[in-house]
Amino acid sequence: MLLSVKNLSVGIGTLTLLESVSFDLAKGEIMGLVGESGSGKSLTALALTGLLPLIGGRVTAGSLEFDGTDLATLPKRKLRALRGRRIAFITQNPMTALDPVQRIGPQVDFVSRTHLGLDRKEARARTIELLTQLRIPQADTICSAYPHQLSGGMKQRIVIAMALAGNPDLIVADEPTTALDVTVQAQIIHLLTRLVRERGLALVLITHDMGVVAQACDKVAVLYAGRLAEQKPVHALFASPQHPYSAALIDCIPREGMAPGSLTGIPGNVASATAYPAGCRFHPRCPRAGAGCDTKVPVQRGLSDAGTVACHYPLNGALDV
Amino acid sequence: MSEPLVKIQSLSKRFDTPGGFLKKPRSMLAVRDVSLSIARGDIVGVVGESGCGKSTLARLVLRLIEPTKGAVCFEGADLTQLSRRDLRKMRQRMAMVFQDPYSSLDPRYRVADALAEPFVVQGARVPEGRIAELLEKVGLPNSMAQSYPHQLSGGQRQRVGIARALALNPDFIVLDEPTASLDVSIQAQIVSLIQQLQRDLDLTYLFISHDLGLVRYFCNRIVVMYLGAVVEELPDPNAAPRHPYTRALMASTFAPDPDTRQEATELTGEIPSGFDLPRGCAFAGRCPNVTAKCRETVPVLSRGPHPVACFHPIQG
Amino acid sequence: MGVVALKLSDTTLGRVMCRPKGVIAGTWLILVVFVAVFAPYLTPYEYDIQDLPNAFRAPDAAHWLGTDEFGRDMLTRIMYGARTSLSVSTIAIGISVFCGMCLGAASGYFGGRFDRAVTAVIDLTWSFPEILVALILVAIIGPGVTGAMVAIGVAYLALFTRLTRSQIMAIKSETFVEASRSLGASHGHILMRHLLPNTLAPVIVAAMLATGDAIILEATLGFFGLGAQPPTPSWGGLMSSGTAQMFKAPWIIIIPGVAVAVTVFAINLFGDALIHALDVRARVRES
């Protein structure tokens, strides 16, 4: 396993915002991390890239094993050497991810010069090659442009190029297409997944969009209110979701030929970190909630289709205890 | 066919940016010659990506901004010609729900005050029990009347926004991306609420969205816009697209089904800026079926049951 | 309607007083205001009766803060001085807040030629030091309490016009203003019910802080002999009369100086606490 997250908990101040999340990721795999606001998906991204201190957070328990080393206990200096080189991060908003007063070329060059020790010329050649692979026309002209001269989709490609420049093994992408138009979003997702597959990288794709998950990922972890609800290979999740939350989330997306009125959403509001309900945090919104849901925290149980679910009353039976 | 409730006639809006020192003044046609008629009880969806003019259209229809050209008739009365006083009276019949529930409520107004504002503005008294009735209609507890917006979640705020739109019993509501800034589970709740209200109160909607999947689920007629102009009008949500842009938009919607994966998109490139439009068809630069004619002449919207503005429409 | 329980932490003043600096500064300010209002009943002596044999007495049991060159009790004169200083500065700032909000709101909301004219004039006054503007105006109106009030009021007009204008321009583009317009709201309704109430918080804070500056400006004018005319005491006038005897009787200049400094410091502290208490976003974060 390239990445193995075990019982990861993350806290800010006295609040525990992510509780006991575990998942594994092998090379060449794309893993989707889905959930709504406050589910802890962005915190997971920050934990994976060692950027939690930026928001005043810290890993309070568990381990993040990346290729044999535990990122949670790694000294800052070593973490910095790893970040950008072996673990790359693609942020949500391409509009603010680039330095507005620096030309594109040097910004991308910087990564390969810092991490791969290339000289100016080699780095530029690599940059142009990367931009061309990302289907950016006239890559050499783009190198001398400033970020404000480029469109949103183009900027996100540059950010992806920067992520790839250090030749990473793992890319963490936090909602990489949310800020983009739909037709551009489709292009970027296809491009990103193709590159990851071709190069045998691992990708953690954080999104709130079940459609993106279905189209791009190999496996999925569904988070709700800081806890892992269910994780599974993508086909199994869509064919037979077992956590009522996963099922409801899939049903929130309008499909072709859906009868009017069949889209109902999930009642209630997303749980707030300052007032998590006791027991299973989803129970106030859950149609299957029964005895024990409001008191006992459900544990992760193994499933026959290589996944786990944390629910007292899962759908579709087939528990493999 | 009876008289449409709302009739939009070749509506255009030009935005001018004034020139300055060493800067040439520029102008942009945000909405170009849009005509549309909306029958009572219709749910018309307007889809398009950023810069297609859909939000400008929404504001033009309610005359929140003045059109450069064209007319909007509401039951035969041209809104663009009404005096200020008549327009205010007319506003009782139409309302708007805004995209961002965080900034569309005054932070200093309690929910009850926000719901009373439509009456205050019209110089009327709030009927007894109306606030409670409105809250109930949108599924909020009566106790919320005394809350401030910052105490509410995004979904609850959007419900307040909807209740406000319903306050004066309008016939026509323009919904400008009412769910775009909400979580998916909440988005579905809101859509289902809007749908149920439409049936219960016999409302007519103009629904603006960037999400074709949602519009196809929700609307019974769909207008596709690209760079300010209507490129296609789908007479029913399941009609096969005839314009290459509509088809591309459909292909870009990710189906929540891992078994039908698309591996590539046919569209390349991005939307050009509205300031320097190409001479011919605005879509020519990205269209897979482009010919020399497309680059020279602007296609007009055809007539008939399934209008499309394309020289080489896709044959069904 | 149920009974609304008023919690201390729900009111702005309550939140200000929850902070130690708010309490300390607030207490001092209340004390100064109290003294200023009730000076005739509190003072042990008359402020204008000369008692030459007792001139230049250092602070002692009979005269807690000593006496000045005419033997008048300094404590009495400081207390009456607070009257002049506070009333001149608050009335002056009141004038400039009111006029500034009207001007700023009109130019920010309607824009166009009026806005350009207002901005040009404001930018012009902004480029002079306040003291210079005030001096020019006193020269025109003539020295005295009224002259000082008008001069200080006009000197700070630019600040409040600018502040209100920029706030109005920012809030004008918020969706809730458009939402109100979509209901058919008139300009008056939007200005009075949405825009001005939302600009109030920063204006109040700025007014608080400007009052501190105005006290200093009033003292400066008084020091130059352009404020309240003798025998009416003002803090600046007291300091001015103390300069001649700075080495012989230093308390005459030091004590009013300390009064100005402590009061202005208290006003700034209170303004600081007010910034935190009025910040709507901070309130959202806490809840």
Side-chain angles (χ1 to χ4, degrees):
Chain A
M1 277 303 147
L2 180 70
L3 177 72
S4 171
V5 176
K6 285 199 187 73
N7 301 321
L8 174 70
S9 296
V10 171
I12 297 179
T14 52
L15 286 176
T16 302
L17 296 174
L18 195 66
E19 213 176 288
S20 200
V21 169
S22 309
F23 57 84
D24 295 318
L25 191 61
K27 278 200 166 194
E29 272 187 330
I30 301 179
M31 154 122 160
L33 219 53
V34 254
E36 297 176 278
S37 54
S39 62
K41 53 192 195 304
S42 291
L43 278 181
T44 314
L46 291 178
L48 287 173
T49 46
L51 293 172
L52 277 176
L54 282 186
I55 55 160
R58 67 197 183 285
V59 173
T60 50
S63 66
L64 292 142
E65 222 157 82
F66 173 73
D67 212 6
T69 41
D70 184 5
L71 298 179
T73 54
L74 207 63
K76 262 189 191 155
R77 202 169 43 81
K78 286 195 170 158
L79 198 61
R80 203 161 56 220
L82 211 60
R83 193 191 312 137
R85 166 68 188 86
R86 297 199 59 201
I87 302 178
F89 188 32
I90 298 174
T91 53
Q92 180 166 4
N93 194 345
M95 308 303 160
T96 52
L98 297 171
D99 182 349
V101 295
Q102 234 192 84
R103 291 175 199 276
I104 296 296
Q107 293 195 51
V108 185
D109 295 349
F110 171 79
V111 181
S112 45
R113 288 177 65 188
T114 315
H115 290 295
L116 304 183
L118 300 186
D119 66 28
R120 201 177 284 268
K121 259 184 141 174
E122 292 166 341
R124 181 51 56 89
R126 183 171 164 75
T127 298
I128 290 180
E129 186 197 322
L130 274 170
L131 296 188
T132 315
Q133 278 179 15
L134 284 161
R135 299 207 191 134
I136 294 175
Q138 298 161 318
D140 44 345
T141 348
I142 295 290
C143 279
S144 52
Y146 284 100
H148 70 89
Q149 295 168 309
L150 306 181
S151 65
M154 204 59 104
K155 275 187 234 178
Q156 194 58 298
R157 280 169 217 242
I158 304 291
V159 174
I160 294 174
M162 285 170 77
L164 292 171
N167 235 340
D169 300 306
L170 171 69
I171 299 181
V172 180
D174 187 3
E175 307 250 13
T177 57
T178 307
L180 304 175
D181 271 319
V182 266
T183 53
V184 184
Q185 156 167 329
Q187 294 171 38
I188 297 283
I189 289 287
H190 285 305
L191 206 56
L192 189 60
T193 49
R194 187 174 55 85
L195 278 168
V196 166
R197 294 232 159 78
E198 276 175 10
R199 294 169 170 234
L201 311 177
L203 172 67
V204 176
L205 181 64
I206 292 166
T207 176
H208 64 275
D209 187 340
M210 274 292 191
V212 171
V213 171
Q215 293 293 322
C217 300
D218 301 313
K219 51 190 204 176
V220 198
V222 182
L223 291 172
Y224 183 77
R227 286 189 191 145
L228 193 59
E230 181 171 9
Q231 63 159 323
K232 264 183 177 186
V234 70
H235 289 274
L237 182 84
F238 281 88
S240 63
Q242 267 159 304
H243 198 290
Y245 179 62
S246 322
L249 213 50
I250 295 169
D251 285 340
C252 281
I253 303 181
R255 289 164 194 254
E256 195 143 0
M258 215 179 204
S262 50
L263 197 68
T264 53
I266 308 173
N269 290 299
V270 179
S272 143
T274 49
Y276 280 139
C280 170
R281 286 176 181 166
F282 187 58
H283 86 262
R285 306 176 73 189
C286 183
R288 295 173 67 82
C293 286
D294 54 348
T295 49
K296 274 187 299 180
V297 178
V299 291
Q300 292 290 337
R301 287 186 284 178
L303 301 170
S304 52
D305 49 12
T308 63
V309 67
C311 179
H312 296 304
Y313 303 100
L315 293 147
N316 305 323
L319 271 185
D320 204 38
V321 186
Chain B
M1 222 168 107
S2 64
E3 168 88 352
L5 182 69
V6 179
K7 202 166 163 130
I8 300 164
Q9 287 162 331
S10 44
L11 207 53
S12 296
K13 176 69 186 178
R14 196 182 61 231
F15 287 114
D16 298 307
T17 50
F21 183 64
L22 295 181
K23 222 173 92 189
K24 265 198 279 179
R26 303 199 294 176
S27 70
M28 171 173 108
L29 269 176
V31 169
R32 278 181 294 154
D33 206 20
V34 171
S35 298
L36 185 66
S37 54
I38 305 169
R40 196 175 276 280
D42 243 358
I43 307 178
V44 176
V46 177
V47 254
E49 296 175 280
S50 58
C52 76
K54 55 190 192 297
S55 282
T56 309
L57 180 68
R59 281 155 181 78
L60 284 173
V61 170
L62 292 184
R63 205 180 153 194
L64 291 177
I65 47 180
E66 299 294 328
T68 310
K69 198 175 80 72
V72 180
C73 295
F74 188 87
E75 281 187 338
D78 185 356
L79 294 183
T80 59
Q81 303 300 322
L82 288 183
S83 71
R84 197 181 285 184
R85 184 187 300 172
D86 291 340
L87 184 65
R88 178 175 310 162
K89 267 185 116 175
M90 203 56 130
R91 291 207 185 282
Q92 301 181 18
R93 313 265 323 262
M94 46 202 192
M96 181 152 174
V97 176
F98 294 86
Q99 169 174 359
D100 184 2
Y102 291 89
S103 72
S104 61
L105 297 173
D106 190 326
R108 304 179 61 92
Y109 277 46
R110 289 173 194 273
V111 168
D113 301 330
L115 294 180
E117 198 187 2
F119 298 96
V120 174
V121 161
Q122 294 290 343
R125 289 188 42 198
V126 186
E128 188 88 18
R130 182 67 175 150
I131 306 277
E133 191 187 331
L134 285 170
L135 285 172
E136 195 204 318
K137 261 188 197 155
V138 296
L140 290 177
N142 204 2
S143 57
M144 222 164 247
Q146 295 306 315
S147 306
Y148 281 103
H150 70 86
Q151 299 168 317
L152 271 52
S153 70
Q156 288 167 336
R157 284 184 221 208
Q158 198 55 295
R159 284 172 193 265
V160 174
I162 294 167
R164 222 162 106 99
L166 295 175
L168 299 170
N169 281 323
D171 301 282
F172 176 56
I173 300 183
V174 176
L175 303 136
D176 182 19
E177 305 233 30
T179 61
S181 41
L182 302 173
D183 272 317
V184 276
S185 69
I186 308 296
Q187 157 170 324
Q189 275 179 22
I190 297 288
V191 166
S192 111
L193 171 71
I194 291 171
Q195 217 163 18
Q196 180 206 333
L197 288 169
Q198 193 269 337
R199 279 194 303 267
D200 293 353
L201 305 172
D202 191 26
L203 297 167
T204 307
Y205 285 159
L206 184 66
F207 185 86
I208 314 282
S209 179
H210 68 276
D211 185 343
L212 185 60
L214 186 65
V215 167
R216 287 176 85 195
Y217 162 74
F218 179 63
C219 302
N220 48 31
R221 207 145 60 84
I222 298 168
V223 174
V224 183
M225 286 182 80
Y226 188 76
L227 278 173
V230 173
V231 296
E232 180 166 9
E233 259 185 75
L234 297 168
D236 81 275
N238 296 316
R242 294 182 65 200
H243 197 284
Y245 177 64
T246 314
R247 188 175 67 184
L249 215 48
M250 281 187 190
S252 300
T253 310
F254 289 123
D257 182 0
D259 295 324
T260 56
R261 282 202 179 171
Q262 298 139 355
E263 287 308 328
T265 43
E266 55 179 299
L267 263 202
T268 53
E270 289 179 51
I271 308 151
S273 151
F275 282 110
D276 30 37
L277 277 187
R279 201 143 62 111
C281 174
F283 188 57
R286 300 174 76 192
C287 185
N289 312 336
V290 64
T291 61
K293 189 181 179 189
C294 304
R295 299 190 197 277
E296 290 303 315
T297 338
V298 179
V300 289
L301 200 64
S302 65
R303 288 173 188 282
H306 187 158
V308 60
C310 182
F311 294 119
H312 316 287
I314 301 155
Q315 301 303 321
Chain C
M1 285 286 132
V3 180
V4 182
L6 192 69
K7 273 198 309 196
L8 192 63
S9 62
D10 281 350
T11 62
T12 305
L13 217 55
R15 276 195 304 275
V16 170
M17 288 307 192
C18 283
R19 290 166 188 277
K21 59 180 168 188
V23 177
I24 297 170
T27 313
W28 175 257
L29 292 178
I30 290 168
L31 190 75
V32 173
V33 171
F34 180 79
V35 163
V37 172
F38 296 103
Y41 306 100
L42 297 172
T43 50
Y45 300 91
E46 293 296 318
Y47 70 87
D48 54 352
I49 304 292
Q50 302 190 355
D51 179 16
L52 290 171
N54 275 327
F56 300 124
R57 279 184 58 173
D60 57 22
H63 299 277
W64 290 359
L65 298 178
T67 61
D68 69 358
E69 73 269 36
F70 298 113
R72 294 175 295 197
D73 181 49
M74 278 303 287
L75 180 62
T76 306
R77 289 186 63 81
I78 293 277
M79 284 162 88
Y80 273 92
R83 256 187 154 182
T84 322
S85 288
L86 286 192
S87 57
V88 168
S89 53
T90 46
I91 292 173
I93 293 299
I95 295 171
S96 64
V97 166
F98 179 78
C99 298
M101 280 188 90
C102 292
L103 266 180
S107 70
Y109 184 67
F110 295 106
R113 218 171 269 167
F114 177 69
D115 178 38
R116 279 200 293 277
V118 168
T119 317
V121 173
I122 291 302
D123 283 347
L124 197 67
T125 39
W126 193 256
S127 56
F128 287 99
E130 276 110 6
I131 178 76
L132 196 60
V133 178
L135 281 175
I136 294 169
L137 283 159
V138 173
I140 298 168
I141 306 165
V145 172
T146 325
M149 269 185 208
V150 174
I152 296 171
V154 174
Y156 285 99
L157 185 62
L159 172 75
F160 293 103
T161 311
R162 270 196 155 199
L163 179 65
T164 312
R165 178 175 173 273
S166 67
Q167 289 289 320
I168 294 273
M169 304 247 298
I171 301 166
K172 169 167 101 159
S173 57
E174 293 271 346
T175 320
F176 64 79
V177 173
E178 196 183 19
S180 189
R181 280 197 352 154
S182 79
L183 299 170
S186 60
H187 294 311
H189 176 93
I190 287 171
L191 266 171
M192 300 307 292
R193 302 292 185 85
H194 289 292
L195 295 179
L196 285 174
N198 276 294
T199 56
L200 220 50
V203 170
I204 288 173
V205 172
M208 192 74 210
L209 298 177
T211 307
D213 290 351
I215 290 177
I216 294 176
L217 190 52
E218 193 272 341
T220 314
L221 289 176
F223 190 81
F224 290 147
L226 301 171
Q229 294 302 299
T232 310
S234 75
W235 288 348
L238 290 179
M239 280 192 268
S240 162
S241 67
T243 38
Q245 285 82 28
M246 213 158 89
F247 300 102
K248 194 174 161 198
W251 58 88
I252 303 181
I253 187 166
I254 290 175
I255 291 164
V258 170
V260 170
V262 173
T263 308
V264 172
F265 184 60
I267 286 177
N268 285 334
L269 267 190
F270 194 79
D272 228 28
L274 207 55
I275 290 176
H276 291 286
L278 280 175
D279 189 355
V280 182
R281 268 157 296 172
R283 240 183 294 166
V284 174
R285 236 179 285 129
E286 279 161 25
S287 67

